[in-house]
Amino acid sequence: MNILLCGVGGQGIILASQVLGEGSIKIGKHVVISEIHGMAQRGGSVYTFVRIDEGDAPIPPHGCIDVAVSFERIELLRYLDFMSGETVVLINDAKIPPIGVSLQKKPYPEIEEIVAEVGKITAKILHFDAEKLAMEAGTKLAVNSVMLGAIAALQGFPIPKAVVLDTLLSKLTEKVREVNRKAFESGYEVAKASTAGHPLSP
Amino acid sequence: MLGKPGEKVLLMSNEAIARGAIESGLDVAAAYPGTPSSEIGAALARVADKFGFYFEYSANEKVAMEVALAAAVSGLYSMTMMKHVGLNVASDTLLTLAYTGVKGAMVIVTADDPSCHSSQNEQDNRYYGLLGNLPVIEPSTPQECLDFTRYAFQLSHELELPVLLRTTTRVNHTSADVVLGDIQQKHEAKFTKEPTRFVTVPAVARARRLWLLEQMKKAWKIAEECEFNRVSGDGKLGVITSGVAYTYLSEYVSREKLECAIFKLGFTNPLPENRIVEFIKKREQVIICEELEPVLETRVRAIAQKHGLNQKIHGKMDGYFPFEYEFNYEVVAKGVGKVIGKPHIHEKTPSGVQVPPRPPVLCAGCPHRATYYAIRKVTKGKAIFSSDIGCYTLGIQPPLEMADLLTCMGASIGNANGLSKVNPEPVFAFIGDSTFFHAGIPALLNAVHNGHSFITVIMDNSTTAMTGHQPHPGLPLDALGKEAKAVSIEALVRGCGVDYVKVVDAVDIPKAVEVYREALQVGGVRVVISRSPCALLVAGEKRKKGEKIGRYFVSQECRKCYVCINQFACPAFYIEGEEVRINDGLCLGCGACTHVCPFGAIKGGD
């Protein structure tokens, strides 16, 4: 299985990838995670590939992503080459406009436009406001936990929900565990409700 | 990293290299941080006390290599690790170190950066192995990073030569399940005087040159036997490959069910010449698949010529693979596909919706932005801005546009020496605190002695920020977080002979503006230390202590002049409709923007 996680620096994408990586090892799978963290500590585009039982290459071939997760609404549009009609897509509706957008007074893509664009490639799209769910759980910083919950809810996802959640919590300090558990569960519930009897299965 | 032998854990290749060194009985490690190698040092710093080895962040790569060299000639096992351009800094040491060799063992990690993800060039450091007559080992995966590091230590001990462990960004930053090995004993230090070996006066160097050539002959024999040079598969088509290119090639071969033999090289200098000849003889065509320069290809072609082999050889030199940028599945599939007459076509899927670019920018709250804003206000951009390596290079982005020339570590001041000599405009050199310690000092005292005239701004954010907040000689803490003597930048600058030295708080823009205005009025070498800690460090500290981050917001008094966005451009700002807003998830409460708003509309901070 090939998973793409993308978003903006500071959203916890690397941590989410590690959770999926450690979870894979716990269920006895070979896993390869590729990340590029270059110039910016924060604010730049960040993406990782998590490849479970897919050999050793860090970057998958084009058209081979099974699950694509966009932690910010536009980010997935940079990686369409990697997607196919089989790709299951999760998008956080929330936006983090880069400063260039404000500088040039350019419009920021609406979520409907983005969904329509991704929809040209795959019909298996679930989008929701993960930031709102994270805030309801207690902090905006828990967007990654919401997204992890949603990933764990996908039909046929190889790592059991409990393993993903336990791995996530083991990487957090006691203080923020409860908030992130709530965030994870809310992401799980949203995705579970939407995938029931829906073609959102890998 | 701390697991037991036999345990399978998720490790990034850089952590696997650190673990491989510890398993080899590492005694001493020293480094100057540099992407993509930085996590090796971070991993070692975390466990140095537990495993009882010495680790330091050195002032630069050359010093780091010398610390490791000294340990290795004293019989210890040492490692130094750096990004590709760091090895340029340390190359003077490296190329003579090969002549003396080592007594214990020494591994030098060179982390190259194809595609320049976070570097100023794309050099291929395998050439250093050829230039210096040094063995080169190239891992492809995290597990190999651990195994090959262990092997590199054994090889170094056996040959008494330092060994280059060459990685690339995509290898360094890949994580995977890695099986840990057992941890070997550490070693006893003993320096034995051997001037005919270790004192490289010409007579000694001439003799050691012969020794070095002999050692490389021994290395060749070992490379012929090395299990990390291995052939898999069979067929009339053969591929010789190394590094991350191997992983894409194997995926291509398995997806396309291609009948071919793969010679995967892990020990790439010297090459296993006899085995390469044997491999080529069994094929009709041979492809050389490697990233960056044709380092394998030129030598394989030479070997084929030497042995009178007529098989067709394809690679970069006849246009099948690119010289530039990192490889991926598509690049490998395209190249191999062209050779076998099976064109690889994958339609690109451009987005119909315009995707706003998200280039790296200075973080919200970054004090460098305030420094640049103040200087832009004073100069109106009418000056030459000589930049350096660090976060502050990001000042190149509009609207600040505060970088006109960038070469390498320390070159902001070196270049300003020449720029100010030949150009009429005022010249500013921007350099970070860590970079100043690394390579800025000789250029500064050169300016004083030779009577140059420019302003050096030392942008002191109290850390080596870009590579992940490592300490440097200006801080009261060492690599392990223990108390250390802090070297004063002011004293150092005065010691270089600079008389005009000012210190400003970067975030206090009005006061800083006054200082820069005054500095522009006088001649000679002027140094302004623009000080304010990295915003990420400050926010991190506050979070740790449970203190609130006093965020700012835009009040009703905003008259929509957009100066905060159009001239200051803190990424926490955005426009919604006509309104200016501050993203409270990004604002780190530095308050610099309150000095920027002409109407005092930005409030908060408590």
Side-chain angles (χ1 to χ4, degrees), chain B residues 326-445:
Chain B
E326 71 168 331
F327 278 15
N328 53 36
Y329 184 87
E330 314 307 318
V331 171
V332 170
K334 212 175 138 196
V336 178
K338 211 163 131 191
V339 174
I340 62 172
K342 194 172 178 186
H344 175 76
I345 302 158
H346 184 87
E347 296 290 332
K348 286 232 166 204
T349 319
S351 169
V353 175
Q354 227 196 356
V355 192
R358 198 186 292 280
V361 291
L362 294 170
C363 301
C366 176
H368 298 330
R369 179 178 294 99
T371 300
Y372 283 145
Y373 180 82
I375 294 170
R376 182 150 274 281
K377 213 167 162 169
V378 173
T379 59
K380 312 257 183 293
K382 289 184 185 124
I384 301 175
F385 302 119
S386 181
S387 194
D388 220 304
I389 306 291
C391 294
Y392 45 94
T393 315
L394 296 171
I396 188 179
Q397 298 286 0
L400 295 167
E401 297 172 316
M402 293 296 278
D404 297 322
L405 182 62
L406 172 68
T407 316
C408 62
M409 292 288 283
S412 60
I413 305 180
N415 289 343
N417 277 256
L419 283 169
S420 64
K421 192 75 206 165
V422 301
N423 294 289
E425 300 95 320
V427 172
F428 282 77
F430 296 118
I431 189 165
D433 39 349
S434 188
T435 308
F436 179 67
F437 287 114
H438 177 288
I441 298 161
L444 186 63
L445 56 89

Side-chain angles (χ1 to χ4, degrees), chain B residues 146-167:
Chain B
L146 188 151
D147 298 341
F148 284 24
T149 301
R150 286 182 65 133
Y151 180 70
F153 274 101
Q154 287 165 22
L155 188 65
S156 171
H157 183 67
E158 190 177 338
L159 291 169
E160 298 188 27
L161 280 176
V163 171
L164 285 173
L165 185 82
R166 190 263 192 170
T167 57

Side-chain angles (χ1 to χ4, degrees), chain B residues 84-163:
Chain B
H84 59 328
V85 288
L87 196 53
N88 299 340
V89 177
S91 62
D92 204 3
T93 306
L94 177 73
L95 299 184
T96 298
L97 161 60
Y99 280 52
T100 62
V102 299
K103 287 254 176 157
M106 178 169 173
V107 173
I108 298 159
V109 182
T110 166
D112 296 3
D113 191 16
S115 284
C116 305
H117 289 287
S118 52
S119 305
Q120 64 270 36
N121 78 19
E122 208 184 30
Q123 72 190 42
D124 189 327
N125 275 8
R126 292 178 296 174
Y127 281 131
Y128 273 113
L130 299 175
L131 182 62
N133 278 304
L134 293 167
V136 177
I137 305 295
E138 280 185 73
S140 305
T141 64
Q143 182 71 56
E144 285 190 353
C145 281
L146 188 151
D147 298 341
F148 284 24
T149 301
R150 286 182 65 133
Y151 180 70
F153 274 101
Q154 287 165 22
L155 188 65
S156 171
H157 183 67
E158 190 177 338
L159 291 169
E160 298 188 27
L161 280 176
V163 171

Side-chain angles (χ1 to χ4, degrees), chain B residues 184 305 399 446 470 588 591:
Chain B
Q184 311 282 315
Q305 196 275 342
N446 182 76
Q470 293 82 1
L588 292 176

Side-chain angles (χ1 to χ4, degrees), chain A residues 2 7-9 14 17-23 25 28-47 49 51 54-64 72-75 77-83 95-110 113-114 116-118 120-121 131 135 140-141 171 175, chain B residues 8-12 35 39 117-119 140-141 169-171 173-178 244 246-248 251 255 326-330 346-364 390-391 393-394 398-399 464-469 536 543-546 562 564-567 569-576 583-586 588:
Chain A
N2 292 306
V8 179
I14 306 280
S17 312
Q18 286 168 347
V19 169
L20 296 178
E22 286 180 19
I25 294 174
K29 305 273 189 192
H30 174 48
V31 68
V32 172
I33 304 173
S34 176
E35 60 180 83
I36 285 293
H37 38 178
M39 299 279 286
Q41 294 265 358
R42 283 187 173 206
S45 285
V46 171
Y47 67 96
F49 293 111
R51 309 193 69 191
E54 295 279 348
D56 285 321
I59 310 172
H62 283 176
C64 284
E72 197 272 357
R73 64 160 73 159
I74 67 163
E75 287 304 309
L77 297 177
R78 301 184 203 281
Y79 311 100
L80 300 180
D81 289 345
F82 288 96
M83 294 170 49
K95 57 180 175 180
I96 305 175
I99 189 73
V101 169
S102 306
L103 269 172
Q104 292 158 17
K105 307 207 163 43
K106 279 190 182 155
Y108 205 65
E110 294 298 333
E113 288 175 75
I114 294 165
E117 190 60 28
V118 176
K120 290 179 192 164
I121 303 172
E131 188 173 291
M135 276 158 73
K140 226 180 195 177
L141 294 173
K171 301 184 81 68
K175 227 169 54 187
Chain B
K8 195 185 265 189
V9 293
L10 183 71
L11 286 189
M12 183 190 280
T35 314
E39 295 83 2
H117 289 287
S118 52
S119 305
S140 305
T141 64
T169 306
R170 199 57 77 166
V171 173
H173 286 168
T174 291
S175 304
D177 42 306
V178 172
V244 77
Y246 165 76
T247 65
Y248 301 122
E251 181 158 355
R255 279 181 188 267
E326 71 168 331
F327 278 15
N328 53 36
Y329 184 87
E330 314 307 318
H346 184 87
E347 296 290 332
K348 286 232 166 204
T349 319
S351 169
V353 175
Q354 227 196 356
V355 192
R358 198 186 292 280
V361 291
L362 294 170
C363 301
C391 294
T393 315
L394 296 171
T464 314
M466 187 162 235
T467 47
H469 296 121
L536 297 185
R543 275 196 200 108
K544 224 187 274 167
K545 288 186 199 150
Y562 303 119
C564 51
I565 285 173
N566 295 339
Q567 291 176 32
C570 174
F573 283 88
Y574 63 99
I575 300 175
E576 200 165 66
N583 181 336
D584 64 2
L586 291 176
L588 292 176

